[in-house]
Amino acid sequence: SLAAVLRDEPAPLTSPSAAIASRCLAKQPGQRFQTMTDVKTGLMGIVGHARPAEQPSIAVLPFANKSGDKEQEYFSDGLAEEIINALVKVPGLKVIARTSAFAFKGQNTDIRKIAETLGVTTVLEGSVRRSGNRIRVTAQLITAADGSHLWSERYDREMADVFAVQDEISAAISGALQVKLSPTAAAAKPRYTPKLPDSEALLKAKHFHWKVTVESMEQAKEFYEQAIALDPNYALARALYAD
């Protein structure tokens, strides 16, 4: 209303020229710029002082379990966690830790609010549907500024291909954010790939480990021991078991 124009202060701005805009909108005439030359001088003062380009950053949210079986939650959570672990190795990419990103699990919070809270420019969300030996994984990379999709893909694969899906998603995100693996990381020795039963046991162990209750830690212990028994050379299982 016209009364608001005279009485109410406008909402604060986050633009580099916010101070200039506020002065233009000042209620008292004496507090405004007196000439357009003054406005031009003020604008010229911020040229060359724009904020540097933001570092690419991402939060990977827990993937939604679409399998219709709550017991499969360990698998959807584990997939997101493995993608976090892969992205951490990308130089120049800021990756939010699992603990912080998973704090929003089940809250149905707006993606832009999550991004603002975690201080990231992009958010990865997705879902997993598992049926027998088949999985369907969907993933969407969302721009925090406006909630638009930067990249999305669907993967229909055999369960045995789950490791390849993790790598493909990580590579697609790196490409979308225009960050690359360093020569050292690209030439690194391929990671140890366990057999599916061993990986399943470890995912279950980690799922219970994160709950951090007396009962869950006992369950985690059993699954760590199962993973080690299935594959004595599975160093990651031994390390997490020691933890």
Side-chain angles (χ1 to χ4, degrees):
S1 67
L2 291 177
V5 173
L6 295 172
R7 182 186 63 246
D8 299 341
E9 291 295 333
L13 303 175
T14 57
S15 166
S17 58
I20 294 174
S22 297
R23 187 171 172 185
C24 289
L25 296 171
K27 302 301 180 185
Q28 299 301 319
Q31 296 176 357
R32 303 177 200 143
F33 290 107
Q34 299 304 301
T35 68
M36 285 305 298
T37 300
D38 293 338
V39 176
K40 180 180 178 181
T41 301
L43 290 171
M44 291 300 292
I46 65 172
V47 173
H49 297 284
R51 290 183 300 174
E54 289 186 275
Q55 177 189 10
S57 53
I58 187 171
V60 180
L61 302 183
F63 279 31
N65 172 27
K66 299 289 188 179
S67 302
D69 178 6
K70 186 173 175 59
E71 294 300 317
Q72 291 296 322
E73 196 169 294
Y74 77 90
F75 184 77
S76 54
D77 283 358
L79 179 60
E81 185 177 350
E82 288 301 314
I83 292 171
I84 291 174
N85 293 337
L87 291 175
V88 165
K89 301 173 185 176
V90 179
L93 179 61
K94 171 187 170 184
V95 183
I96 296 300
R98 177 201 191 279
T99 307
S100 298
F102 276 46
F104 293 92
K105 183 174 180 178
Q107 294 186 16
N108 198 30
T109 307
D110 183 83
I111 291 294
R112 284 170 290 186
K113 180 64 177 177
I114 293 175
E116 180 184 355
T117 302
L118 297 177
V120 294
T121 57
T122 54
V123 174
L124 180 73
E125 66 171 0
S127 65
V128 181
R129 185 183 301 276
R130 180 175 178 180
S131 179
N133 291 323
R134 300 286 300 179
I135 55 170
R136 169 174 291 179
V137 179
T138 62
Q140 304 95 36
L141 185 62
I142 300 169
T143 303
D146 57 8
S148 62
H149 281 69
L150 188 59
W151 165 86
S152 64
E153 190 59 83
R154 187 180 80 182
Y155 303 86
D156 289 292
R157 301 288 179 81
E158 296 286 336
M159 265 298 300
D161 294 331
V162 66
F163 301 111
V165 170
Q166 294 169 8
D167 291 342
E168 287 178 38
I169 292 176
S170 301
I173 292 171
S174 298
L177 298 180
Q178 298 183 336
V179 290
K180 298 179 179 179
L181 287 170
S182 66
T184 303
K189 183 179 179 181
R191 68 179 179 185
Y192 181 75
T193 303
K195 292 181 179 179
L196 193 57
D198 315 340
S199 175
E200 290 258 26
L202 184 63
L203 287 179
K204 291 177 180 177
K206 291 165 70 176
H207 175 75
F208 288 113
H209 196 158
W210 277 108
K211 291 180 181 294
V212 195
T213 67
V214 174
E215 295 78 10
S216 70
M217 295 301 268
E218 283 297 323
Q219 291 173 297
K221 178 175 179 290
E222 293 176 10
F223 282 113
Y224 280 132
E225 291 172 345
Q226 181 180 327
I228 294 169
L230 287 168
D231 184 354
N233 295 320
Y234 201 178
L236 179 59
R238 289 183 176 275
L240 292 174
Y241 182 43
D243 180 58

